[in-house]
Amino acid sequence: MNWLVCGLLLSAPVFYVALVSSEQTNPGLIALSAFGIAGIYALLAQAAFKWSRIAGLAVVAVFIGALSVRLVYALLIHFSGNGFTDEVFFHIEPTSFRIAWQQYGPAFIVALLCAVLLMALIGRLARPVRIRGYALIASISVLAGLSWFSRAASPEYLMLAGYRHYQLLSQPVSFDKKTLETLASIPSFAPLKVHKWGVEAEAPNARNLILVYLESFNYGLTRHPDYPGLTPNLNRLMGQHRSLHPNYSSSYVTIEGIVNSQCGTITTMNRGNNSFMGERGALPMWPCLGDVLGRAGYRQIYLGGAVTAFAGKGEFLKSHGYHDVYGWEYWEQQGHKLIGDSWGLPDSELFDQAVRTIAQLRQRPPYNLTLLTLGTHIPGYQYRGCSDYAPNADRFVNAIHCTDYLVGKFVDDLTGRGLLDDRTLLVITGDHGIFPTPDMKRLFGDLVDDRRLLTVVIGKPFEKNLPAADSIPMASYDLTPTLLDLLGVEHNASFAFGRSILSSEHDPGYMTTRFGDYQDGKYIKNNSTICTDATAATDLEPPFSACDKRRLLNALASYQYTLNRPESRSAELCNHRQLIDIEISDTAEAPISVRYHGKDLSGSFAHEGYYQKNLKHGAYLLLASSRSVLAEQLYFRLENAAERENLLNILNAAAGTQLTALAVKTDSPDDIPVPVREYFADAGLPLRDSTQSLALIALGSISKKTALLKQVDARRALSVRLNPDQCNDWLAMLDQN
């Protein structure tokens, strides 16, 4: 009886998955797997309890763990439409568990408790089956064999296999000639011309950008035949302005959607953190939208309702030019509270915050304000001011209707306040499509497999520069180069896949995406096949099979990893004749000159989020990692106590692998504040009483042992340089320590 109950409990979640999803699992295999494993647990428990109560309870605990895995498997299918995929393991972090608990915690606990109580009740009523010795071993062996035969229907096996796949493909990969040949077989791929640190950009006619990512928003949601009038505002905006359609996505989750669209490439979770995630966020060496706009002098802010640490989103944005990144961590500090089962700032509040932020930003253009909504994340959320789509409408359908209302109100508010002028481009797009869950398939049918994203361009001067054709085939990786062209930003950046639709380089006849290919006016899904060697580089021609596409993505991941790996960045750190060159003129009106890797950074030091031009007095701070050529440039007014304290806090927090360059110029020796003098004295580098300018270069915590310090009074100019030999000596010292 115990065996029968255990088998039913273990099979129930998997039968649920088979009923509600597209998983084609043989019912016989499901039953064989569940009852085979249940038999093993029942026999082991019987033997263990005879040996000791603790051993018996341990077997029961393992069974409860197996049941928990199967319940989690069913919940994953319900939440995302997929089981134990790479995305699941990538997102294992506290925020994920909190969201899962809000959605399913009580139901999970109730189901588990009911199962345990049922087992206990049946256990007291059932008559034990006594199998001993060789018969016990033989029985367990037979059941184990049956369980292995039916492992394809075992969530325990699927979880272990999925994790092994994630770990295997998260290992460092090599990039060789054969890999490059594989990438070259993709018609739309081209190697990067410059890395992030080599980007140069100008905005001669500075124009502003407002970029809105709508969570899980397919183009088809705006014209689904079962839901007429679902998105009246978005349909109105598409009719009044321009819709970039079709826009094919290569993303399944948000971080992929943002990275792909902002960096002009295709990234997946298939190689975990080692493919596009690095020590300073995603694709740390690749040029992305924020890098180019940052070099062109844009003030860049991100507003999102969710926690910014989730899936590395905040680190990506901060490492690619965004000055301020606001998520739930910030909103909670401002006194906002979670409402109901939501897990972030309501979209109604987010759009209100955006309007206020834009009103401030327009005082000092150009700017880039990027938003990410939450409302259309499963299971769907409604906010202040929203009404139901229809009586008894599904929660997610109401959420779509609510998002449509809030977007329409946001655009109307901007227009009414004069914030959406001729120098401001507004783009509304989806981060990825809706998840193919059972509920979504029930609501929207085949739309869950439609990878086309909503993309609307608003701003008459920008719209007229778009191609005149009603249909403009593009992929999400084309977004950034297209935006840069629309904004009139002149730059030297290139993108692995992304091509501006305004450019002759854009080929509307062929595009490759993660899920399929667009060729000769038709979208062709990756055809299915059995992959026997998913890593071999061979001559590939579109349309690709699923195995061919995996080979291409693995080759791309190899290329990404080659640019991200620490040893590559370490070599590049010292790879310049004059790594750092600081010059301070003895002329009061002359600005400080700072060059890094031969690049003049004098006009690129940020103060309150804006690059400052021709600053003559104050503190200039350059920070770089000894594992990266990427640098951060900051400016501080020493007469301001708060800014002075911030400077000293940054210097005190310098890590052992950080390269620090500081230049200070004042009108008189008295202008160097006492706390700054005390700081250098404590580091063994006391300043002279006559010092009114200084330049310092140090690796790690500033001290007499690791710093080059030069001081100057009003009678002399100052110059200090760090050459490759000194840089390599410091790196060698790090290795020894």
Side-chain angles (χ1 to χ4, degrees):
M1 182 67 74
N2 276 335
W3 165 74
L4 179 61
V5 172
C6 291
L8 290 173
L9 290 174
L10 291 177
S11 62
V14 190
F15 274 119
Y16 164 79
V17 169
L19 288 172
V20 302
S21 74
S22 58
E23 297 283 337
Q24 301 297 319
T25 307
N26 188 305
L29 287 181
I30 296 175
L32 192 60
S33 169
F35 286 98
I37 293 174
I40 294 173
Y41 283 124
L43 292 173
L44 286 176
Q46 173 187 306
F49 272 114
K50 282 188 171 297
W51 183 44
S52 75
R53 185 174 182 83
I54 294 177
L57 291 175
V59 174
V60 173
V62 173
F63 173 80
I64 293 174
L67 179 59
S68 299
V69 168
R70 289 172 175 252
L71 289 173
V72 168
Y73 176 65
L75 295 178
L76 284 172
I77 294 294
H78 183 270
F79 183 77
S80 68
N82 286 317
F84 296 108
T85 61
D86 296 319
E87 285 85 357
V88 170
F89 297 108
F90 180 86
H91 285 89
I92 292 179
E93 54 182 283
T95 301
S96 300
F97 287 109
R98 181 168 60 83
I99 295 170
W101 177 259
Q102 288 179 341
Q103 298 293 331
Y104 301 109
F108 180 85
I109 295 299
V110 168
L112 202 58
L113 286 177
C114 289
V116 172
L117 290 174
L118 180 61
M119 286 172 55
L121 177 62
I122 297 299
R124 294 183 64 87
L125 298 177
R127 180 177 300 174
V129 177
R130 303 192 181 281
I131 302 178
R132 298 184 178 88
Y134 292 113
L136 177 63
I137 296 174
S139 299
I140 292 177
S141 299
V142 171
L143 290 171
L146 293 175
S147 299
W148 179 255
F149 173 77
S150 58
R151 62 189 182 279
S154 168
E156 297 91 342
Y157 173 81
L158 295 176
M159 181 185 71
L160 294 174
Y163 184 70
R164 181 177 179 275
H165 180 266
Y166 176 74
Q167 286 294 318
L168 177 65
L169 295 182
S170 294
Q171 300 306 310
V173 289
S174 61
F175 186 76
D176 52 22
K177 182 179 180 181
K178 183 175 289 188
T179 307
L180 184 60
E181 291 173 353
T182 303
L183 282 177
S185 67
I186 310 175
S188 53
F189 173 82
L192 298 181
K193 295 178 181 177
V194 295
H195 295 175
K196 166 180 159 179
W197 51 267
V199 169
E200 297 181 2
E202 292 184 356
N205 300 302
R207 299 178 177 93
N208 308 310
L209 172 64
I210 304 171
L211 177 59
V212 180
Y213 287 101
L214 300 182
E215 172 67 40
S216 307
F217 220 97
N218 303 58
Y219 173 80
L221 293 175
T222 62
R223 53 197 67 240
H224 198 283
D226 294 343
Y227 304 101
L230 179 62
T231 56
N233 292 284
L234 287 169
N235 289 75
R236 168 175 61 88
L237 293 175
M238 285 190 288
Q240 295 174 346
H241 303 281
R242 294 296 302 274
S243 173
L244 302 185
H245 177 73
N247 179 9
Y248 290 102
S249 170
S250 285
S251 310
Y252 190 76
V253 293
T254 295
I255 185 63
E256 290 177 330
I258 294 177
V259 172
N260 289 343
S261 62
Q262 296 216 358
C263 302
T265 186
I266 303 174
T267 57
T268 73
M269 303 300 172
N270 289 345
R271 286 188 181 268
N273 290 338
N274 283 335
S275 65
F276 65 89
M277 296 298 288
E279 64 183 18
R280 297 190 64 187
L283 295 177
M285 298 292 286
W286 285 51
C288 301
L289 175 66
D291 301 310
V292 180
L293 293 182
R295 299 305 299 157
Y298 276 68
R299 172 83 160 102
Q300 303 190 85
I301 296 178
Y302 165 85
L303 302 180
V307 174
T308 60
F310 187 55
K313 181 167 63 252
E315 281 303 310
F316 164 74
L317 295 167
K318 290 176 183 176
S319 66
H320 286 285
Y322 281 78
H323 301 100
D324 297 307
V325 177
Y326 298 113
W328 178 246
E329 305 96 325
Y330 173 79
W331 307 124
E332 189 174 29
Q333 291 178 355
Q334 302 306 306
H336 291 276
K337 304 295 182 184
L338 291 175
I339 300 175
D341 62 350
S342 67
W343 40 283
L345 187 74
D347 286 350
S348 53
E349 294 293 331
L350 183 73
F351 282 117
D352 287 347
Q353 293 284 350
V355 172
R356 288 192 287 269
T357 302
I358 292 168
Q360 296 172 353
L361 289 172
R362 73 177 310 211
Q363 304 302 318
R364 299 182 67 178
Y367 64 82
N368 162 27
L369 179 67
T370 300
L371 308 178
L372 172 63
T373 66
L374 268 180
T376 42
H377 195 289
I378 292 173
Y381 303 94
Q382 280 187 278
Y383 303 113
R384 167 175 47 85
C386 295
S387 59
D388 290 349
Y389 167 67
N392 302 317
D394 184 271
R395 174 176 177 171
F396 192 80
V397 173
N398 285 333
I400 296 170
H401 194 57
C402 179
T403 293
D404 172 81
Y405 164 77
L406 293 175
V407 170
K409 181 177 180 298
F410 174 63
V411 176
D412 292 343
D413 286 348
L414 293 178
T415 304
R417 299 186 184 201
L419 301 176
L420 203 56
D421 54 30
D422 288 344
R423 305 195 64 79
T424 301
L425 168 64
L426 170 60
V427 175
I428 303 167
T429 188
D431 60 347
H432 56 79
I434 55 178
F435 291 131
T437 68
D439 282 348
M440 296 300 103
K441 291 178 181 178
R442 172 179 58 83
L443 291 171
F444 304 108
D446 293 339
L447 179 63
V448 299
D449 297 319
D450 189 338
R451 303 294 179 179
R452 294 175 297 173
L453 299 177
L454 169 79
T455 308
V456 185
V457 174
I458 299 176
K460 293 301 182 183
F462 308 97
E463 296 170 37
K464 68 181 183 181
N465 292 327
L466 291 170
D470 293 334
S471 177
I472 310 173
M474 63 180 292
S476 56
Y477 49 65
D478 293 322
L479 183 64
T480 282
T482 300
L483 292 179
L484 293 173
D485 274 2
L486 288 173
L487 293 169
V489 176
E490 300 173 359
H491 63 92
N492 65 339
S494 66
F495 305 94
F497 285 94
R499 305 289 182 268
S500 169
I501 62 174
L502 280 66
S503 162
S504 59
E505 294 181 352
H506 182 261
D507 180 9
Y510 174 79
M511 289 174 291
T512 188
T513 73
R514 177 183 174 186
F515 305 103
D517 301 288
Y518 185 91
Q519 188 174 23
D520 299 328
K522 296 181 180 180
Y523 183 70
I524 307 169
K525 293 183 181 179
N526 297 339
N527 53 67
S528 59
T529 185
I530 298 175
C531 300
T532 56
D533 183 3
T535 59
T538 58
D539 294 332
L540 304 173
E541 294 183 2
F544 301 117
S545 69
C547 294
D548 291 341
K549 186 58 63 69
R550 189 181 299 179
R551 292 187 183 102
L552 294 178
L553 292 177
N554 286 350
L556 180 60
S558 302
Y559 181 54
Q560 292 169 348
Y561 178 79
T562 299
L563 298 183
N564 295 350
R565 63 187 183 212
E567 57 268 28
S568 172
R569 299 196 298 274
S570 295
E572 288 173 340
L573 175 66
C574 301
N575 187 24
H576 198 277
R577 185 170 56 86
Q578 292 180 353
L579 177 62
I580 298 179
D581 187 349
I582 301 174
E583 293 187 1
I584 302 177
S585 172
D586 56 0
T587 303
E589 297 302 316
I592 291 178
S593 171
V594 180
R595 302 185 71 84
Y596 179 60
H597 273 250
K599 186 179 181 64
D600 186 5
L601 303 180
S602 303
S604 302
F605 283 81
H607 181 254
E608 296 180 348
Y610 292 93
Y611 287 124
Q612 306 298 306
K613 306 293 184 182
N614 299 320
L615 291 175
K616 301 176 179 63
H617 301 93
Y620 301 72
L621 181 65
L622 182 146
L623 301 171
S625 168
S626 64
R627 299 300 182 190
S628 172
V629 299
L630 310 179
E632 183 177 9
Q633 304 101 249
L634 303 171
Y635 169 77
F636 302 87
R637 296 172 300 171
L638 291 178
E639 68 272 15
N640 183 290
E643 293 188 28
R644 186 170 64 238
E645 181 179 1
N646 189 22
L647 168 64
L648 295 178
N649 288 338
I650 293 175
L651 293 176
N652 280 319
T657 58
Q658 181 170 286
L659 186 66
T660 303
L662 175 67
V664 175
K665 184 176 183 180
T666 63
D667 288 328
S668 72
D670 295 336
D671 289 340
I672 297 182
V674 172
V676 175
R677 291 182 176 275
E678 292 177 345
Y679 173 83
F680 285 105
D682 292 341
L685 299 165
L687 304 183
R688 294 190 298 267
D689 291 339
S690 61
T691 297
Q692 65 185 65
S693 299
L694 66 91
L696 173 144
I697 302 172
L699 188 68
S701 300
I702 295 174
S703 68
K704 189 172 185 178
K705 183 179 180 181
T706 62
L708 299 175
L709 174 70
K710 293 193 177 181
Q711 308 172 53
V712 66
D713 55 30
R715 296 184 299 276
R716 294 187 293 113
L718 171 64
S719 176
V720 59
R721 291 183 175 87
L722 177 66
N723 61 47
D725 290 338
Q726 293 168 317
C727 178
N728 285 315
D729 288 344
W730 271 333
L731 290 181
M733 180 186 68
L734 270 184
D735 293 337
Q736 293 174 0
N737 295 336

